[in-house]
Amino acid sequence: MQNRIEELKRSFVTSLGAAGSAESLEALRVEYLGKKGYVAELMKGLKDASDKKAAGQLINEFKTEVEDSIAKATEELRAAQIAAKIRGAKKYNPTLRAEAEFGSYHPITLATREVEEIFVSMGFTIENYFEIVDDYKCFEALNIPKHHPARDMQDTYYLDNGQLLKTHTSAAQNAIMKKYGAPLRAIFPGRCFRNESTDACHENTFFQMEGMMIDENISISNLIYFMKTMLSEVFKRDVKVRLRPGFFPFVEPGFELDINCEICGGEGCPSCKNSGWLELCPCGMIHPNVLREGGIDTEKYTGFAFGLGLTRLAMMKYGVKDIRDFNSGNLKALSQFKSI
Ligand code: PHE
């Protein structure tokens, strides 16, 4: 028995050295460990052995040795194959020019920057503000108490902790008044959210640019002057606008500033709900309650505020017919704008 095992060991080592593929290793495994293999044959011969216990032990050792050697050879073969693949792979050359294409600015970014530049040149600072705010900032500080019907127009998304996604950039008015006090000139662009059904001119996510100017003797004339200057700078030509009364609890008096629809030229189309006009910039004189809530002395100061629809402005400026294109991620539409 012992001699036979020694003999098998030698022939196994020779065969293993010659096995250069997964298939030949498998064949070797079957030859030695398979049902009709050498190990099975040795087991059969066990009954004739004089010292069965010692012989059994020898067979087991041999079996383990064969198993381990085949497993090790299989693993080495796999590692060698991977190494060969890596060696053959295309080499990374850090000195080559990047093949990636450059992106382009989103039209809303372009419109935001343009309006920012205009207002900065008129002495306004740019403020950044959160997208998640509380009820106080979005409504109560703006003279919209709980259960006020004006809230119906601004249904939004509420978080479990009672906070909400801001429905308008006006949600920053109170914090900015408290931060700077009067006199004050600031604009604050931001993303706003409303629970709305979408169509060509409505989206649940859109951008506004709020502006506030608070000082002594600020009147409606100042408001109209700033709005006109901004629009003529953005469009680089005279655009037809109309001012009509509008109601917002945080301004008194309040206005809707509409712009002649640039897509249909005022004839009426889906982008302007067939009216020929687009509500672009609601505005008004800041309500004394709102100024007071922001810690401003209403005996001394007055101010105006506006909420420019940046998304709508970008639609008019760039002739985008459907507001949903902005959030679509459709590169065909978006990559037409100024590249980075
Ligand atoms: N926050 C208002 C809205 O989104 C717009 C607005 C801003 C009106 C400032 C007046 C003054 O509907």
Side-chain angles (χ1 to χ4, degrees):
M1 172 72 73
Q2 199 169 351
N3 290 346
R4 175 66 181 140
I5 291 179
E6 287 304 321
E7 191 187 315
L8 283 172
K9 265 189 191 172
R10 276 194 299 279
S11 72
F12 174 72
V13 171
T14 320
S15 307
L16 188 67
S21 67
E23 290 78 30
S24 48
L25 282 172
E26 175 59 12
L28 200 61
R29 192 188 66 79
V30 173
E31 192 183 351
Y32 281 82
L33 304 172
K35 264 190 200 147
K36 293 179 184 156
Y38 294 124
V39 172
E41 181 197 305
L42 291 172
M43 295 295 269
K44 255 188 225 155
L46 195 59
K47 61 180 186 308
D48 304 324
S50 49
D51 184 347
K52 288 195 180 57
K53 194 177 167 208
Q57 218 163 17
L58 282 177
I59 297 172
N60 265 339
E61 273 169 24
F62 176 56
K63 185 176 169 236
T64 315
E65 197 180 314
V66 172
E67 279 171 353
D68 290 352
S69 307
I70 291 180
K72 195 169 156 233
T74 308
E75 188 46 45
E76 279 169 4
L77 192 71
R78 218 175 58 87
Q81 278 167 349
I82 292 174
K85 221 178 191 172
I86 293 172
R87 267 197 309 279
K90 219 167 128 193
K91 288 277 181 315
Y92 172 64
N93 180 351
T95 64
L96 278 182
R97 264 177 65 88
E99 282 168 21
E101 285 182 13
F102 290 103
S104 54
Y105 286 107
H106 194 282
I108 305 259
T109 305
L110 293 174
T112 311
R113 290 190 180 170
E114 194 162 342
V115 179
E116 279 177 0
E117 242 171 67
I118 297 165
F119 277 99
V120 166
S121 76
M122 297 192 285
F124 283 68
T125 59
I126 305 173
E127 291 293 313
N128 203 354
Y129 203 67
F130 314 113
E131 288 175 355
I132 297 174
V133 298
D134 55 21
D135 192 273
Y136 172 79
K137 297 244 169 50
C138 200
F139 300 119
E140 277 171 50
L142 292 166
N143 210 20
I144 314 177
K146 289 208 165 52
H147 311 298
H148 191 288
R151 289 195 182 210
D152 288 352
M153 309 280 293
Q154 303 202 5
D155 188 18
T156 184
Y157 304 93
Y158 288 82
L159 309 186
D160 288 343
N161 64 6
Q163 288 189 304
L164 49 100
L165 300 188
K166 76 174 173 212
T167 57
H168 51 179
T169 39
S170 308
Q173 281 192 11
N174 183 266
I176 291 171
M177 283 180 206
K178 284 178 178 158
K179 184 172 171 191
Y180 292 108
L184 162 68
R185 286 183 196 200
I187 49 168
F188 25 112
R191 197 197 311 257
C192 304
F193 308 85
R194 286 189 201 178
N195 183 8
E196 292 232 34
S197 357
T198 58
D199 61 27
C201 58
H202 291 90
E203 250 291 21
N204 51 29
T205 306
F206 54 94
F207 287 81
Q208 289 185 338
M209 163 98 64
E210 190 92 357
M212 248 184 347
M213 181 168 178
I214 302 172
D215 210 332
E216 290 176 40
N217 303 319
I218 296 290
S219 70
I220 298 173
S221 326
N222 299 100
L223 168 64
I224 295 175
Y225 167 80
F226 277 97
M227 292 299 100
K228 271 193 173 161
T229 311
M230 186 265 300
L231 289 173
S232 61
E233 291 273 328
V234 170
F235 287 98
K236 307 272 186 295
R237 64 193 145 87
D238 260 349
V239 281
K240 246 177 143 179
V241 292
R242 71 175 185 189
L243 202 63
R244 58 194 169 91
F247 175 70
F248 302 93
F250 37 96
V251 284
E252 180 58 37
F255 306 99
E256 289 280 7
L257 188 141
D258 299 342
I259 176 174
N260 196 39
C261 179
E262 297 286 302
I263 300 212
C264 60
E267 306 249 305
C269 68
S271 311
C272 60
K273 282 193 268 176
N274 290 313
S275 71
W277 294 94
L278 214 74
E279 286 169 19
L280 183 69
C281 192
C283 51
M285 299 304 294
I286 305 174
H287 197 290
N289 286 354
V290 176
L291 288 173
R292 235 174 271 126
E293 196 65 31
I296 309 278
D297 178 359
T298 51
E299 294 293 315
K300 194 166 172 202
Y301 295 107
T302 49
F304 67 76
F306 61 86
L308 173 69
L310 264 182
T311 303
R312 290 207 172 153
L313 182 81
M315 283 175 83
M316 293 296 107
K317 186 170 162 65
Y318 299 114
V320 177
K321 291 198 180 83
D322 195 318
I323 193 171
R324 291 165 291 195
D325 283 341
F326 288 126
N327 291 343
S328 69
N330 175 357
L331 288 183
K332 247 192 196 151
L334 298 175
S335 61
Q336 300 169 52
F337 296 91
K338 193 177 150 217
S339 53
I340 289 175

